[in-house]
Amino acid sequence: MRGEAVRREAGGDKRDEAKASLGDIPLSLYLHFPWCVRKCPYCDFNSHAVRGDIEEDRYVDALIRDLDYELAVAPLASRLSPPVGSIFAGGGTPSLFSGRAIGRVLEAMAARLPFAPDIEITLEANPGTADAGNFREYRAAGVNRLSIGVQSLDDVQLKRLGRIHGREEAIAAYRTARDAGFDNINLDLMFALPQQTPDEALADLRAACALAPEHLSYYQLTLEPNTEFAAHPPVLPDDEAAWTMQLAGQALLAEQGYAQYEVSAYASAGRQCRHNRNYWEFGDYLGIGAGAHGKLSGAGGIVRRARHKHPRSYLEGAGGAAAIQEERTVAASELPFEFAMNTLRLNQGFSLAEFERRTGLRATVLDAALNQARKKGLIEEEGGHIRASVFGRAHLNALLREFLE
């Protein structure tokens, strides 16, 4: 019945007006590089340990063919008018690829898509694969933001996490990035690590802050299905200790001038990650590469597509439909939950007007969910703007369930 109600509410002139504005939805580009030196025991991303040499040129050629195919058949082919505002090269370990290869990719993308004048281009880098020459070439190719996966600056924890680098390598990679001209750097850091105490977690975070990156992604280690840690769980801090770490970490980050704008994202002034914000604000994005996901809005609805995860399957199919593992149009009944699942991660939340623009649905379809969330103290409202309350952010899954009903 709930789905039928959403479909009824989605009809009429209001939806037609919302569809007319779909061409204004921001557009980003995600590029996936699937190889790593070694698969970390906690990692559930689409990454594969390198066996032999990476065929850089072959993979770059596949990415270019894949984008050509996407632009030819994507439901948004007629509305790719907004310039691409951000590009994110993730993995895996994109920094396994040479500066020349990354330059080829970006040059090909720029020849096929309009780029915003101030486009943000992020590349993920592993401290264990940092190379000064490559970093300089990345910067020269147009990469203007690095995301370095340090995960910890404690040698004991890095060994427990199966990382291929140590504390000194992580610090050296950061300094190498600075020397190469990067003035916008994110550090990934985790807490609630195996046998970690709250004091140790805070010391780890303090060491990361001392480097003065522009952005920090600070998140709790969780045991994900189909990982080595899931099969052989390490001893992790209990929930109370993890909550203590989170609160102490948030206080330290605020003290150091990092404003929290999303569940696990903290930035100095003007340095929020535009690419990730576009995800959380329910923007559109092209997904290119092995296992990449994309979301595109068009007159026929919102279409999600996913590429084959395994590099071999992807390489064989890139440039045609054979590279696509899944394609589906998101049902109107699913959109309230999908929208809330993203936007309520942001401290600022969302406006009802933006919900209508991004989904093509009337905001009244949210009435039941908002009423229940309001009664439970999970949300705050002001002038048609909805955001999670402090209590709601601490119980985000409970809040999101209201939109799943």
Side-chain angles (χ1 to χ4, degrees):
M1 292 299 293
R2 178 70 176 154
E4 182 58 35
V6 170
R7 283 188 287 275
R8 287 199 302 271
E9 290 286 359
D13 295 339
K14 190 72 173 180
R15 176 153 185 156
D16 293 337
E17 292 171 11
K19 281 183 179 180
S21 67
L22 290 174
D24 298 327
I25 295 177
L27 183 66
S28 295
L29 171 64
Y30 177 74
L31 304 169
H32 193 77
F33 295 81
W35 290 285
C36 285
V37 173
R38 183 170 66 201
K39 182 81 171 179
C40 295
Y42 57 84
C43 179
D44 68 334
F45 295 149
N46 182 38
S47 59
H48 305 261
V50 174
R51 290 178 173 82
D53 294 330
I54 293 175
E55 297 180 82
E56 282 193 343
D57 287 333
R58 185 184 179 202
Y59 193 72
V60 169
D61 289 343
L63 291 175
I64 296 170
R65 292 197 309 274
D66 196 8
L67 180 61
D68 285 339
Y69 175 77
E70 183 75 6
L71 295 179
V73 303
L76 276 211
S78 61
R79 68 124 278 198
L80 288 178
S81 51
V84 175
S86 66
I87 297 175
F88 198 102
T93 306
S95 57
L96 284 172
F97 280 67
S98 68
R100 181 191 63 82
I102 297 300
R104 272 195 67 210
V105 173
L106 294 179
E107 183 178 1
M109 303 298 118
R112 289 160 171 77
L113 292 164
F115 283 9
D118 62 344
I119 187 170
E120 174 193 270
I121 303 179
T122 302
L123 183 135
E124 287 186 334
N126 186 321
T129 60
D131 178 270
N134 278 342
F135 276 16
R136 287 192 295 270
E137 290 180 8
Y138 298 152
R139 188 69 191 89
V143 177
N144 52 26
R145 184 176 184 272
L146 277 187
S147 181
I148 304 177
V150 300
Q151 311 309 350
S152 176
L153 289 170
D154 181 317
D155 281 328
V156 172
Q157 288 295 349
L158 288 168
K159 288 180 181 178
R160 289 172 179 165
L161 293 172
R163 302 294 287 171
I164 64 172
H165 68 273
R167 172 190 173 92
E168 292 306 315
E169 287 85 356
I171 294 172
Y174 177 84
R175 290 174 176 160
T176 297
R178 289 295 194 209
D179 291 343
F182 286 96
D183 62 359
N184 194 3
I185 297 177
N186 169 67
L187 296 183
D188 275 348
L189 202 75
M190 296 192 293
F191 66 91
L193 303 180
Q195 303 175 47
Q196 190 178 47
T197 68
D199 285 345
E200 289 170 343
L202 200 60
D204 208 8
L205 179 57
R206 190 173 285 112
C209 290
L211 295 173
E214 286 69 32
H215 191 285
L216 276 156
S217 297
Y218 190 56
Y219 53 97
Q220 182 177 346
L221 171 65
T222 55
L223 302 185
E224 302 294 344
N226 303 315
T227 63
E228 185 180 331
F229 271 4
H232 307 284
V235 177
L236 298 181
D238 60 27
D239 290 344
E240 183 177 351
W243 181 241
T244 298
M245 294 176 193
Q246 181 173 329
L247 292 180
Q250 289 172 338
L252 176 61
L253 286 162
E255 175 188 306
Q256 295 294 315
Y258 296 98
Q260 183 183 25
Y261 65 99
E262 187 267 346
V263 170
S264 58
Y266 303 78
S268 54
R271 296 297 191 164
Q272 295 182 6
C273 179
R274 275 187 276 158
H275 187 88
N276 287 341
R277 278 198 67 104
N278 192 42
Y279 291 154
W280 298 322
E281 292 172 349
F282 215 56
D284 282 344
Y285 48 96
L286 297 161
I288 304 299
H293 289 245
K295 167 191 171 284
L296 296 172
S297 307
I302 293 175
V303 175
R304 290 193 177 276
R305 311 176 92 183
R307 266 61 180 167
H308 280 287
K309 290 183 176 182
H310 199 282
R312 187 186 309 111
S313 299
Y314 173 76
L315 284 166
E316 290 171 354
I324 308 298
Q325 184 172 31
E326 180 185 2
E327 178 176 333
R328 69 185 184 90
T329 299
V330 182
S333 58
E334 298 175 46
L335 286 174
F337 175 72
E338 284 212 7
F339 182 86
M341 182 174 61
N342 286 279
T343 57
L344 287 176
R345 291 181 62 89
L346 290 165
N347 287 21
Q348 72 178 36
F350 66 90
S351 70
L352 295 177
E354 197 62 26
F355 171 81
E356 294 189 341
R357 282 194 293 270
R358 296 292 168 96
T359 66
L361 303 177
R362 292 179 177 176
T364 50
V365 303
L366 299 178
D367 285 351
L370 294 178
N371 285 338
Q372 288 301 311
R374 191 180 298 116
K375 289 177 184 177
K376 297 175 182 178
L378 294 167
I379 59 170
E380 297 173 350
E381 300 171 79
E382 183 178 352
H385 200 94
I386 312 296
R387 62 176 175 267
S389 64
V390 173
F391 180 70
R393 286 201 297 273
H395 299 85
L396 189 58
N397 287 340
L399 171 54
L400 294 178
R401 278 196 294 271
E402 300 298 337
F403 295 85
L404 190 59
E405 293 298 323

